[in-house]
Amino acid sequence: MSIRRSMGTFLLALVLLGAILPAQSEARRNHAASAAEAAPTLRRILLQARNVPADRSAYAITGRVSDGNGNPLANVILVDSTGRSAWTDTDGQFRLADLPAGAYTITPAKAGYTFSPPSRTVAAPPGAAGQDFTASGAGFRRPVILLPGMGASVNWGCFLYENSCDDPAQWDWTPTARRFYQPLLDRLAAAGYSQDNHYLTVQFYDWRQPLAANVAVLKSTVDALKAATGGAEVDLIGHSMGGLLGRAYVQGNSYGHDVAHLITLGSPHQGAARAYPFWQAAYFYRTDLAERLALSVLLFQTMRRARNPIPVYALRQAVPSFRDILPTTNYLYDERRGDQVKPEAGLVQRNTYLADLNANLASLFDRAEVTTLLGQGLETPARFYVQDRAWWEWPNWDDGKPNWSREPAFMDSQGDGTVTVASAGLPAPADVRSFPGVDHGGLPGNDAAIDALFDVLGIPLASEQLPAPSAALAEPPIIALIADGPVDLTLTDPQGR
């Protein structure tokens, strides 16, 4: 909202000062000494915004306030030497209008910030555009939203008991996933990012559902954080599928032009071949014990609820999001035709959603600064040599059954074990950074990757302030049982208790 003139400016400024400043969290009020010293300046400037009679002349002074990275800064008050004032909008723009002839000194102010230049003097006539200011100081930071990958979060009531899946408060880390993200969470906490001050949010989402179905959840969180912090933009950090969700928001129709940086870690921008056996035949390929248990529970529950005895159909109903990570490039080779490529465009089971996003990469780069962090140097599934399915294997393997005897030929040596380098990267102007020997799950917790992430976001490195490793890093023991029907259960430990 821009405020242009009048007594209403003064009154509204006082109302906003009383309504907004007390609402700031304790962490935001405890700025560095320089920010504290700037606070009286803000009060003095607000008190200058007194009633000034309007003069219907054509003179105006306009400009933009941005941070050190060129991002717009909203809710900055600018007061001229006669007491007229205006606030910057979400694009950082301000306009002082209806100015009579004279010389005006324009001074910006916002708690926690200093400005360069501190003020500008402008003559009217003729008035002037482009009277810009750059903000810096202890208050400069954007909220960070962390988007975990597929399978990293769980809602037990939703998964097991058919309760609602829509309440974000009911989602939490899976027993084994948090340890992969804890080093990043600890580093962000040491840099002053927390849920209490609204500068860090872990955005859990129903990763079983298609990407498009989760965009509204992310947008709601972005809007809430902007309102809570008074900022115009957020930074998104997405691991694996989380990076694709970030892309879906930025490239979507509901985008609010409010993401400064999108950083993806090991995200399959061209899909992941590992998803093929799962989507084609409910075949758990290269999964660890925890993944296999989780997927087995989902499959079992879906088959029971839907009374669908065909696993592949039940699984596609339970986790339709797997279609969104199928490869979008050619990756199947037909043994019946001498290992000729089966064009991806002619396959029965296709990932059209991600293909559409990739066909419009210009919209991604126009709307946010994009960085991709990827692991490399590990054996990673990249292709399949396939045969026709046997008649009894219907409805599995619509596009061909892998010849498992040739599995070594499926692999690419350049990847993170799950996503190839070719898929995890993006073309210029994306900033692509690689980390040799780091696997897919290890990217969020890798020190070098976190350093790179902080560098992109402009967060100072403060290793001396790091807390001790969290106890949550220890992998908890897991017992998983699947039973259909009433059972009597007795657990006995090694001591016979």
Side-chain angles (χ1 to χ4, degrees):
M1 176 177 65
S2 296
I3 303 171
R4 297 191 171 92
R5 65 180 191 283
S6 83
M7 169 67 98
T9 298
F10 177 56
L11 294 177
L12 185 54
L14 292 180
V15 170
L16 289 175
L17 185 63
I20 294 174
L21 296 185
Q24 307 304 307
S25 68
E26 188 65 26
R28 292 192 66 196
R29 290 196 297 268
N30 292 335
H31 290 302
S34 61
E37 292 170 0
T41 301
L42 175 59
R43 289 195 292 272
R44 286 197 300 269
I45 290 173
L46 283 169
L47 290 174
Q48 291 174 13
R50 60 186 182 274
N51 181 29
V52 178
D55 183 344
R56 292 291 179 181
S57 55
Y59 309 133
I61 299 173
T62 63
R64 183 175 186 266
V65 181
S66 60
D67 62 34
N69 292 330
N71 300 303
L73 188 62
N75 300 319
V76 177
I77 187 170
L78 295 102
V79 179
D80 68 27
S81 48
T82 69
R84 288 176 171 81
S85 65
W87 296 81
T88 56
D89 60 19
T90 56
D91 293 321
Q93 302 287 342
F94 69 90
R95 178 180 176 84
L96 287 159
D98 299 322
L99 300 175
Y104 298 89
T105 299
I106 312 301
T107 304
K110 183 173 183 176
Y113 291 86
T114 59
F115 295 87
S116 178
S119 62
R120 289 185 180 276
T121 300
V122 183
Q131 302 303 304
D132 298 344
F133 297 88
T134 300
S136 61
F140 172 54
R141 91 172 34 145
R142 284 178 295 269
V144 169
I145 301 176
L146 174 62
L147 302 165
M150 172 179 278
S153 55
V154 65
N155 179 336
W156 293 116
C158 162
F159 282 20
L160 300 179
Y161 305 113
E162 303 186 51
N163 295 341
S164 171
C165 303
D166 299 331
D167 183 1
Q170 298 303 313
W171 289 80
D172 203 349
W173 297 104
T174 58
T176 60
R178 180 169 185 139
R179 64 190 177 93
F180 295 110
Y181 298 88
Q182 194 64 49
L184 174 57
L185 297 174
D186 287 343
R187 291 278 296 273
L188 287 169
Y193 290 76
S194 73
Q195 290 183 316
D196 290 338
N197 65 17
H198 305 292
Y199 281 97
L200 175 61
T201 296
V202 179
Q203 178 64 73
F204 296 121
Y205 56 96
D206 192 347
W207 48 266
R208 304 169 306 164
Q209 301 307 313
L211 291 168
N214 284 301
V215 168
V217 175
L218 177 55
K219 178 174 176 55
S220 177
T221 298
V222 171
D223 290 343
L225 290 176
K226 290 191 301 180
T229 61
E233 294 180 309
V234 302
D235 293 321
L236 300 181
I237 303 171
H239 176 231
S240 195
M241 176 176 272
L244 299 185
L245 176 55
R247 278 188 61 186
Y249 172 60
V250 172
Q251 293 183 251
N253 294 330
S254 63
Y255 180 54
H257 298 276
D258 43 19
V259 173
H261 296 91
L262 169 62
I263 303 176
T264 68
L265 293 82
S267 296
H269 296 292
Q270 297 181 23
R274 208 181 117 185
Y276 178 79
F278 185 83
W279 185 256
Q280 288 273 342
Y283 183 86
F284 299 157
Y285 177 57
R286 291 174 70 91
T287 55
D288 60 27
L289 176 61
E291 291 174 316
R292 191 164 302 203
L293 285 171
L295 293 173
S296 295
V297 169
L298 283 175
L299 179 60
F300 173 80
Q301 289 294 98
T302 305
M303 291 176 66
R304 182 177 62 83
R305 293 175 188 173
R307 304 192 184 280
N308 192 333
I310 302 177
V312 69
Y313 288 161
L315 193 136
R316 290 175 186 172
Q317 179 181 342
V319 196
S321 59
F322 262 90
R323 181 191 286 273
D324 290 344
I325 57 172
L326 287 173
T328 59
T329 57
N330 295 331
Y331 67 105
L332 297 183
Y333 296 82
D334 192 345
E335 288 190 336
R336 201 176 45 148
R337 293 178 172 81
D339 291 346
Q340 289 185 10
V341 170
K342 298 185 73 170
E344 189 277 334
L347 300 181
V348 175
Q349 301 294 335
R350 299 187 61 216
N351 181 357
T352 56
Y353 185 80
L354 187 53
D356 288 344
L357 289 183
N358 289 338
N360 192 22
L361 278 176
S363 67
L364 175 64
F365 300 135
D366 286 345
R367 295 177 171 188
E369 185 174 323
V370 181
T371 301
T372 65
L373 310 183
L374 54 90
Q376 69 175 96
L378 302 178
E379 191 175 74
T380 304
R383 64 192 67 84
F384 293 101
Y385 295 92
V386 297
Q387 309 164 329
D388 289 342
R389 66 187 174 197
W391 66 267
W392 63 83
E393 293 176 308
W394 180 91
N396 299 333
W397 309 117
D398 287 329
D399 294 300
K401 178 181 180 179
N403 180 353
W404 300 112
S405 67
R406 298 181 66 180
E407 185 175 6
F410 298 170
M411 302 299 163
D412 188 320
S413 63
Q414 292 301 311
D416 63 12
T418 298
V419 180
T420 63
V421 166
S423 181
L426 282 169
D431 178 9
V432 180
R433 308 190 189 192
S434 59
F435 301 89
V438 180
D439 66 19
H440 188 71
L443 271 169
N446 179 265
D447 285 338
I450 298 174
D451 286 349
L453 189 152
F454 276 37
D455 176 58
V456 172
L457 297 184
I459 302 174
L461 299 178
S463 57
E464 70 278 4
Q465 298 178 10
L466 291 182
S470 171
L473 291 175
E475 184 168 357
I478 297 175
I479 298 177
L481 301 171
I482 301 176
D484 189 8
V487 296
D488 292 323
L489 180 64
T490 301
L491 297 179
T492 305
D493 69 13
Q495 285 72 44
R497 294 173 293 184

